[in-house]
């Protein structure tokens, strides 16, 4: 019995939430699973688990060991997978983080199409607007919409990402068409805290500037901000994909288009220290092809 097997058994116990569940998953007896974990603790000279007849919990040392052991095992599995053919290596559990608004729409459909295309992939998709810690939280890859200043991550650009300022014809008629970004400072604006934090970015004479805006409505969802704009509550700045159909149908009108900034893009990111596994490579390659599909980059995403 080697350390790697004991380590893998311990991680299975932690992920399964108990010895019995881990034994069923691994196809081994509970007594044998318990023996492996006990031998690992003896080898380390530290208790990793607190055990009672009803509960099982990690010690402080056990929490650190479980996190690091999970990453080590993942890197070993990824290394083994990468040796084979790139397509054959597209297998295993893929843990992905993506922004909720984007994941609920087009990106979500693309990810599900990828799973359909790769039958050996199982997916764990987390849709949330915060930037997760890929290493500490065990994510294989994250889709991020940003300028990506974090040098600790490897990033592959998937697409441009247009942020558009728009309003209804009625709002424009009532308050006037803004000719320069600064004109928005004294007009009612709908602030989406997820997108712009109340300071809207523009490019003026080749330089990036931000305009502080305010209004009666502040939200934390681009979709709700869109609804507020359609209700005539002011100007809004949201991802183009959120209002693309409204602009095409004439329900909303884009303004200040010559001043739009292109600093933000959609990226697939993964940690420097993680070997790029076949499943991650296949996933990113699929998204690149999907974003390059006909019409998806028309006017920016």
């Amino acid at each position: 019995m080697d350390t790697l097997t004991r380590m893998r058994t311990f991680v299975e116990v932690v992920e399964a939430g108990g010895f019995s569940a881990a034994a069923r998953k691994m196809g081994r007896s509970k007594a044998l699973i318990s023996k492996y974990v006990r031998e690992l603790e003896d080898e380390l000279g530290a208790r990793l688990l607190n055990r009672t007849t009803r509960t099982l919990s990690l010690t402080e040392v056990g929490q650190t060991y479980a996190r690091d052991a999970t990453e080590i095992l993942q890197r070993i599995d990824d290394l083994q997978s990468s040796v084979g053919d790139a397509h054959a290596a597209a297998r295993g559990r893929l843990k992905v983080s993506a922004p909720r608004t984007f994941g609920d729409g087009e990106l979500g459909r693309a990810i599900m199409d990828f799973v359909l295309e790769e039958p050996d992939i199982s997916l764990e998709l987390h849709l949330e607007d915060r930037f997760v810690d890929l290493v500490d939280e065990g994510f294989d890859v994250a889709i991020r919409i940003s300028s990506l200043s974090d040098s600790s991550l490897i990033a592959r650009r998937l697409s441009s990402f247009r942020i558009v300022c728009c309003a209804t014809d009625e709002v424009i008629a009532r308050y006037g068409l803004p000719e320069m970004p600064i004109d928005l400072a004294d007009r009612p604006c709908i602030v989406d805290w997820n997108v712009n934090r109340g300071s809207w970015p523009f490019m003026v004479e080749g330089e990036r500037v931000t305009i502080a805006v305010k209004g009666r409505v502040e939200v934390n969802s681009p979709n709700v901000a869109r609804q507020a704009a359609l209700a005539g509550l002011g100007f809004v700045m949201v991802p183009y994909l959120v209002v693309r159909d409204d602009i095409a149908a004439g329900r909303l009108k884009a303004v200040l288009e010559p001043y739009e900034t292109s600093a933000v893009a959609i990226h697939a990111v993964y940690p420097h220290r993680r070997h790029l596994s076949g499943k991650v490579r296949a996933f990113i390659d699929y998204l690149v092809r999907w974003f390059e599909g006909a019409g998806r980059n028309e006017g920016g995403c």
Side-chain angles (χ1 to χ4, degrees):
M1 179 57 55
D2 59 22
T3 299
L4 188 60
T5 302
R6 297 188 186 104
M7 182 188 298
R8 194 178 294 277
T9 302
F10 168 70
V11 169
E12 291 287 356
V13 170
V14 172
E15 292 182 348
F19 289 97
S20 297
R24 289 192 296 270
K25 182 178 179 181
M26 300 178 71
R28 296 176 176 174
S29 70
K30 179 181 176 182
L32 184 61
I33 297 297
S34 181
K35 176 177 178 291
Y36 290 168
V37 173
R38 187 171 60 253
E39 288 176 347
L40 178 63
E41 289 179 323
D42 291 342
E43 180 181 344
L44 296 172
R47 179 176 291 277
L48 302 176
L49 295 169
N50 292 316
R51 308 169 180 83
T52 69
T53 56
R54 294 186 177 181
T55 63
L56 182 73
S57 63
L58 287 165
T59 64
E60 184 176 354
V61 172
Q63 291 176 349
T64 301
Y65 188 85
R67 182 192 64 209
D68 293 345
T70 299
E71 182 179 346
I72 290 170
L73 292 170
Q74 179 67 64
R75 294 177 69 185
I76 291 172
D77 291 343
D78 289 347
L79 181 60
Q80 291 175 331
S81 295
S82 68
V83 172
D85 178 79
H87 179 76
R91 59 180 179 269
R93 189 169 190 82
L94 184 68
K95 188 174 181 180
V96 178
S97 170
R100 179 176 298 279
T101 300
F102 197 23
D104 281 340
E106 295 187 6
L107 180 63
R109 292 191 293 273
I111 293 174
M112 297 310 150
D113 287 343
F114 167 76
V115 176
L116 286 172
E117 186 173 290
E118 299 290 350
D120 294 328
I121 291 287
S122 59
L123 174 70
E124 182 180 339
L125 177 61
H126 292 245
L127 298 180
E128 49 193 334
D129 293 320
R130 70 184 180 92
F131 274 17
V132 300
D133 188 310
L134 272 70
V135 175
D136 284 349
E137 298 180 54
F139 283 92
D140 295 297
V141 62
I143 309 302
R144 291 188 174 172
I145 302 170
S146 72
S147 57
L148 281 187
S149 58
D150 187 350
S151 61
S152 69
L153 298 173
I154 299 175
R156 184 167 179 183
R157 190 178 185 276
L158 299 176
S159 174
S160 60
F161 190 77
R162 182 184 177 190
I163 304 292
V164 61
C165 183
C166 57
T168 62
D169 286 334
E170 290 77 12
V171 166
I172 294 172
R174 186 182 312 139
Y175 298 101
L177 178 69
E179 297 182 358
M180 294 286 293
I182 192 63
D183 295 340
L184 292 171
D186 60 359
R187 286 168 169 78
C189 295
I190 300 155
V191 176
D192 176 10
W193 290 95
N194 279 334
V195 174
N196 42 57
R197 302 286 178 182
S199 295
W200 291 1
F202 294 95
M203 293 297 295
V204 178
E205 296 182 352
E207 294 188 6
R208 189 178 188 274
V209 300
T210 57
I211 304 299
V213 298
K214 59 184 182 298
R216 293 195 298 128
V217 178
E218 297 181 3
V219 300
N220 66 345
S221 163
N223 287 318
V224 176
R226 166 185 172 268
Q227 293 292 342
L230 290 171
L233 292 171
F235 294 84
V236 70
M237 180 172 277
V238 290
Y240 177 70
L241 66 92
V242 174
V243 293
R244 179 171 52 192
D245 292 343
D246 298 310
I247 291 175
R251 293 186 292 269
L252 292 172
K253 180 178 181 179
V255 300
L256 299 172
E257 291 179 281
Y259 301 98
E260 291 177 4
T261 176
S262 59
V264 174
I266 306 171
H267 296 85
V269 300
Y270 59 94
H272 267 291
R273 66 184 198 171
R274 172 166 294 177
H275 181 82
L276 183 59
S277 66
K279 62 187 179 184
V280 173
R281 183 186 301 109
F283 179 64
I284 294 175
D285 287 346
Y286 181 88
L287 290 182
V288 169
R289 294 193 303 271
W290 184 83
F291 276 106
E292 289 176 348
R296 285 198 168 87
N297 283 321
E298 184 179 350
C301 268

